[in-house]
């Protein structure tokens, strides 16, 4: 089946690609569990749609985006953010793929007393040969009490993985009765917040006419009107696609096979139907978005990963919720693809890490999905950082 990656074919010239770092300067309410009395279970990362919306709002209020550009972003998105993952002890975390585990039984000789192993390099040749994959069921000492780490953020150190520590705390708020000057019955709210000072990193692409600056302030998560979620941009590094293209070229095996790792959720939308993983990624559409002319596809032969709900965020221009999908491929999924095409396909594939694809559901574009990069050249490929 050839899936349609939306109907977004706008030629976008002059794009800039960045890695950015930012720090929370007030606690942020970024949770995935809603209860009758509040929002609990803080996420260890910031979803792509939430970060994108926060950055666009800040750019609009500081005058870097006018009303026309803001409306255009709602229908023809050019500002694309990846999910933001934690920085712990100056090291970047990434979503864990399925080929890793943690042993529940303490290991005295393991860092932090826990054996956390990334064994994807051991099965990489099986991916390339299209052999069926087998997941490990025993740790190095023969214990069966192992659990998967996918898709939680982890820090890779060669073939070992370090747990990511994101500090959070719970607060309880109570509604006040103005007439009595005391608390209002039934107005008790509980929030779990990520602590201020936590750092995150993400990728971002913007058109040439949009300028970002170190020190830029924005707000993410719930309760921004009450001072929650304030963040500050602390690092901005522009990325060259030409350098990335060389890494893609080195990662292609047998002249055509490419093993890909996803830093975002995965989904393919075709009219009223949607699919957990794409079967085909059309490189021509990606190329048009960066002003190139390349024909070709990535033909997906296998996908590995868990699934979960995809919430595509809030549409500021229409003042309405974007679509919610019950199943999507998780962050950290691994895909095995065949590269078909001519011309500068490796440069277009390198842009996929920053652009992903634009999927369209009911006329509403969904961004921050299918953001893929070669596994062999990535720290989660077993080499670490």
């Amino acid at each position: 089946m050839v899936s349609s990656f939306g109907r977004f074919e706008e030629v976008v010239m002059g794009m800039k690609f960045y890695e950015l770092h930012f720090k929370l300067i007030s606690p942020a309410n970024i949770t995935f569990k809603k209860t009758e009395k509040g929002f609990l279970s803080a996420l260890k990362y910031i979803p792509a749609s939430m970060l994108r919306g926060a950055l666009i709002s800040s750019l609009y209020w500081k005058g870097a985006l006018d009303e026309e550009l803001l409306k255009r972003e709602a229908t023809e998105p050019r500002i694309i953010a990846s999910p933001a993952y934690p920085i712990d002890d100056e090291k970047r975390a990434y979503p864990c793929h399925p080929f890793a585990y943690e042993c529940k039984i303490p290991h005295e000789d393991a860092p932090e007393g826990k054996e956390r192993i990334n064994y994807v390099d051991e099965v990489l040749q099986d991916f390339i040969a299209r052999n069926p994959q087998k997941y490990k069921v025993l740790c190095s000492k023969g214990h069966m009490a192992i659990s998967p780490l996918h898709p939680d953020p982890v820090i890779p150190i060669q073939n070992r993985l370090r747990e990511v520590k994101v500090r959070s705390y719970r607060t309880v708020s109570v509604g006040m009765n103005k007439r009595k000057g005391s608390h209002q019955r039934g107005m008790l709210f509980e929030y779990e917040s990520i602590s201020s000072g936590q750092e995150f990193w993400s990728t971002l692409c913007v058109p040439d006419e949009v300028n970002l600056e170190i020190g830029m302030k924005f707000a993410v998560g719930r309760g921004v009107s009450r001072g929650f979620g304030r963040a500050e941009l602390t690092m901005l590094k522009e990325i060259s696609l030409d350098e990335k293209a060389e890494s893609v070229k080195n990662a292609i095996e047998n002249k055509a096979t490419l093993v890909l790792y996803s830093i975002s959720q995965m989904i393919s939308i075709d009219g009223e139907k949607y699919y957990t993983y794409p079967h085909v990624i059309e490189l021509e559409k990606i190329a048009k978005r960066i002003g190139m002319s390349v024909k070709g596809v990535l033909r997906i032969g296998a996908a590995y990963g868990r699934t979960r709900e995809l919430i595509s965020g809030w549409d500021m221009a229409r003042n309405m919720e974007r679509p919610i999908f019950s199943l999507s491929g998780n962050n950290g999924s691994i895909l095995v693809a065949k590269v078909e095409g001519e011309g500068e396909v490796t440069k277009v594939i390198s842009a996929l890490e920053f652009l992903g694809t634009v999927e369209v559901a009911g006329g509403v574009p969904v961004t921050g999905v299918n953001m893929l990069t070669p596994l062999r050249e990535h720290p989660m490929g077993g080499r670490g950082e």
Side-chain angles (χ1 to χ4, degrees), residues 49-67:
S49 59
M50 182 181 291
L51 178 59
R52 177 178 183 266
L55 291 170
I56 289 175
S57 294
S58 178
L59 289 168
Y60 174 70
W61 289 113
K62 70 186 294 240
L65 284 180
D66 59 25
E67 197 81 33

Side-chain angles (χ1 to χ4, degrees), residues 20-40:
L20 58 85
H21 294 190
F22 60 91
K23 179 187 290 188
L24 294 179
I25 54 179
S26 71
N29 297 324
I30 302 167
T31 59
F32 65 89
K33 183 178 179 182
K34 183 178 180 180
T35 69
E36 291 182 1
K37 294 183 178 180
F39 298 91
L40 304 177

Side-chain angles (χ1 to χ4, degrees), residues 9-133:
E9 300 185 27
E10 178 75 13
V11 177
V12 178
M13 303 291 286
M15 300 292 288
K16 296 180 290 191
F17 303 89
Y18 292 105
E19 177 189 327
L20 58 85
H21 294 190
F22 60 91
K23 179 187 290 188
L24 294 179
I25 54 179
S26 71
N29 297 324
I30 302 167
T31 59
F32 65 89
K33 183 178 179 182
K34 183 178 180 180
T35 69
E36 291 182 1
K37 294 183 178 180
F39 298 91
L40 304 177
S41 301
L43 286 172
K44 288 187 176 182
Y45 72 98
I46 298 173
S49 59
M50 182 181 291
L51 178 59
R52 177 178 183 266
L55 291 170
I56 289 175
S57 294
S58 178
L59 289 168
Y60 174 70
W61 289 113
K62 70 186 294 240
L65 284 180
D66 59 25
E67 197 81 33
E68 182 179 347
L69 287 174
L70 182 65
K71 289 180 179 178
R72 182 175 179 178
E73 280 299 314
T75 56
E76 300 172 2
R78 297 187 297 167
I79 298 174
I80 309 291
S82 75
Y85 297 104
I87 297 174
D88 187 10
D89 195 23
E90 299 185 353
K91 293 186 179 295
R92 292 176 296 179
Y94 304 92
C96 192
H97 53 63
F99 298 93
Y101 69 80
E102 175 184 282
C103 183
K104 297 179 182 179
I105 297 174
H107 287 213
E108 292 182 1
D109 57 345
E112 303 175 294
K114 291 276 190 175
E115 182 176 81
R116 302 183 186 92
I117 297 295
N118 173 4
Y119 61 91
V120 72
D121 191 51
E122 299 175 27
V123 298
L124 187 60
Q125 291 305 314
D126 287 329
F127 286 134
I128 296 164
R130 305 294 178 91
N131 294 330
Q133 297 302 306

Side-chain angles (χ1 to χ4, degrees), residues 19-22 201 214-215 232-238:
E19 177 189 327
L20 58 85
H21 294 190
F22 60 91
W201 74 274
I214 301 294
E232 180 178 359
L233 190 62
T234 57
M235 193 277 276
L236 194 63
K237 178 183 178 182
E238 190 163 1

Side-chain angles (χ1 to χ4, degrees), residues 254-298:
N254 300 333
K255 297 182 179 181
T257 301
L258 185 59
V259 181
L260 295 161
Y261 162 82
S262 177
I263 64 170
S264 70
Q265 288 181 256
M266 306 287 299
I267 199 166
S268 176
I269 303 171
D270 186 3
E272 296 183 358
K273 297 180 180 179
Y274 73 91
Y275 305 90
T276 305
Y277 290 97
H279 288 209
V280 169
I281 294 178
E282 298 178 27
L283 297 179
E284 184 176 3
K285 293 183 178 180
I286 307 299
K288 285 183 177 180
R289 293 167 63 191
I290 55 174
M292 295 178 63
S293 178
V294 169
K295 294 186 181 295
V297 299
L298 289 176

